[in-house]
Each structure stands twice: as C-alpha cells, then as structure tokens.
Amino acid sequence: MAASNSILIADRNSHVRRFLMRELMAEGYRVILAATAENVLKIVFTRDDIALLVLDPHLPGVDAAIFLENLIDRIPVLPIVLHTHRGLEGEKLPLDEEWCAIIEKSGNSVEHIKEAIQRLLSHIRKNCGSIHRCDNRKGDIQKDRPSFRNPNPIP
C-alpha cells in the first residue's frame, strides 16, 4: 500500500537505515532518513509531510524518555514505531498503543515494522480521517489549528 506522505527512519546504524529504506520504498512509501536526534526533531517540527517515524530510541547523546516527550508535543500526532535491540523495561516512556508500537530488532523485524506501520496509519486515518487532522493521542480532530512547532527542542 503506497502512502501519500513520507516515513522518517532514524537509526544509529546506517546499514539499518538503508535496509529499512529499501524495504519500505519497495512497499511504495516515500522515505526520509535521519541519523541524529537533532535531525529527527528538526524534520518532524518543520515538515508537515511526515506520516510516521521509525525510531531507534537509543540514538547517541539523548535520553529516550526526554526525546519521546519532545516528539509527543508534535501536532498533528506523529505515530512512532520504536525499533530497538534493548528492552525498554524500567524506562518511563510516555507510550500509547494507539500511536506507538515497539518492535524488537531481529532477523524478521522488518515484517513486524511493516505490519505496525500499516496498523498505526490505518488507526489514524480511521479515527481522524487524515494524519494532518489528529490533535492528540486520543484521536481528537484538529480544529483549524496550525501545526505546533516545538520552541525548545532538545539538542
């Protein structure tokens, strides 16, 4: 299923980024790559064509919980697929199953990522009509409000 918007892939490993890009482009998605938390924040808070983020939450130099809190501030809602080697147990992450999926990195994780992307985008479209209209994690509709641009993103 081709998407009309882009998927942002952020992983500390360039090989993983390129592999996921090839796999998702083969599914018809447009893909943008980011290697750092700073690049991710810059992209998600300045572009309105990002439909979903595939994220390694352990990008270097950033606390995962604080980083995710910054991402949650984005309006319209940004669905996130967390793709990680490490478990997230013990970390207080602001996760909501309606807009976030956690996929452990493994040999077949790309298929799980594709399924999660399809599920999250379908959920957003079903509950909001469009990714550009969801205002918060409960599926509320945005009422002619401009997109929120985080004034203090973390470096």
Side-chain angles (χ1 to χ4, degrees):
M1 170 174 87
S4 61
N5 296 2
S6 300
I7 293 178
L8 175 60
I9 298 172
D11 197 287
R12 58 192 156 168
N13 184 323
S14 63
H15 298 292
V16 172
R17 285 193 307 271
R18 288 193 300 268
F19 172 71
L20 291 175
M21 178 182 71
R22 283 191 305 272
E23 290 291 319
L24 294 178
M25 288 179 73
E27 295 289 318
Y29 293 103
R30 287 186 287 170
V31 175
I32 299 168
L33 301 178
T36 68
E38 181 180 358
N39 287 346
V40 170
L41 291 172
K42 181 179 179 181
I43 291 168
V44 301
F45 286 108
T46 60
R47 295 182 61 153
D48 63 357
D49 65 330
I50 306 300
L52 184 136
L53 170 61
V54 177
L55 174 67
D56 173 354
H58 300 290
L59 291 172
V62 67
D63 176 86
I66 294 170
F67 184 51
L68 285 170
E69 285 178 17
N70 273 269
L71 291 171
I72 287 169
D73 285 340
R74 184 183 188 266
I75 297 173
V77 64
L78 180 65
I80 301 172
V81 175
L82 295 176
H83 190 221
T84 182
H85 277 300
R86 298 184 230 162
L88 298 172
E89 306 83 26
E91 294 189 41
K92 292 192 179 241
L93 302 178
L95 303 177
D96 182 331
E97 288 182 7
E98 291 185 14
W99 63 271
C100 186
I102 300 173
I103 308 294
E104 187 172 341
K105 289 183 180 180
S106 67
N108 65 346
S109 65
V110 71
E111 295 306 318
H112 296 295
I113 289 173
K114 291 176 187 178
E115 291 168 9
I117 289 171
Q118 205 166 35
R119 179 181 58 80
L120 291 169
L121 292 179
S122 293
H123 175 77
I124 294 294
R125 288 187 182 106
K126 177 183 171 192
N127 291 309
C128 303
S130 161
I131 63 160
H132 298 293
R133 297 181 65 211
C134 276
D135 191 3
N136 64 27
R137 305 307 171 255
K138 300 300 179 204
D140 292 341
I141 301 297
Q142 187 172 348
K143 306 280 192 270
D144 299 320
R145 227 166 86 180
S147 294
F148 175 77
R149 304 291 186 233
N150 187 344
N152 300 309
I154 59 172

